Amino acid sequence: MSDAVIQSLEPYFPGLSFTTIPNGIDTNFFTPGAEPIPELAGTRTIVFVGRFDPRNGVKHMIRAFARLRQTRDNVALVIVGDGPLRPLIERMVPEALRRDVTFAGRVNRLRPRYLASAEILCTPCSLASFGMVLLEGMSSGCRSSPAGFPASSS
């Protein structure tokens, strides 16, 4: 529980003591040494991780990917996550790009391997109390910039 949550609850529960529990991740699990997903080897891969909640920005990710593919044909998108909006989200992928977009679903124990497969981790989240996916990506060794992308498609 964060300090902000504690401050909002204290007036309603006088006399109770609360403890702040800092966010963190298991750096032995999210490690740069994770084995990449074999099917993604040799592919320039953008990875999105998150539930299919409008706040997490998966719709923005798909739109951005479609725009990127107008100038680069050597990029794939992997969407790690799931939720009740999945049928809607899948229909958002343009027909011509569907073979280059993988819906991995909820992967839990495989998440470090998907992060290890990413050339770019993209998290277009518009509202979050804390960016756990970003911490997982940093701990997994994901790059923070698209420096490896060439000026023109190859």
Side-chain angles (χ1 to χ4, degrees), residues 68-97:
L68 176 65
R69 284 301 301 268
Q70 291 173 359
T71 59
R72 291 186 167 89
D73 61 1
N74 62 342
V75 183
L77 173 62
V78 175
I79 298 175
V80 175
D82 215 339
L85 297 176
R86 184 174 181 151
L88 171 70
I89 301 301
E90 287 178 338
R91 285 193 306 271
M92 290 186 68
V93 177
E95 185 71 37
L97 298 179

Side-chain angles (χ1 to χ4, degrees), residues 18-89:
F18 296 92
T19 302
T20 299
I21 301 171
N23 291 310
I25 58 162
D26 181 352
T27 57
N28 292 318
F29 182 63
F30 291 100
T31 174
E35 187 71 31
I37 302 293
E39 296 83 6
L40 301 176
T43 303
R44 304 196 95 170
T45 305
I46 300 170
V47 173
F48 168 92
V49 177
R51 285 173 315 174
F52 293 170
D53 179 307
R55 296 173 293 177
N56 287 339
V58 68
K59 293 178 184 181
H60 301 297
M61 181 68 259
I62 291 170
R63 283 191 215 113
F65 179 71
R67 289 194 64 194
L68 176 65
R69 284 301 301 268
Q70 291 173 359
T71 59
R72 291 186 167 89
D73 61 1
N74 62 342
V75 183
L77 173 62
V78 175
I79 298 175
V80 175
D82 215 339
L85 297 176
R86 184 174 181 151
L88 171 70
I89 301 301

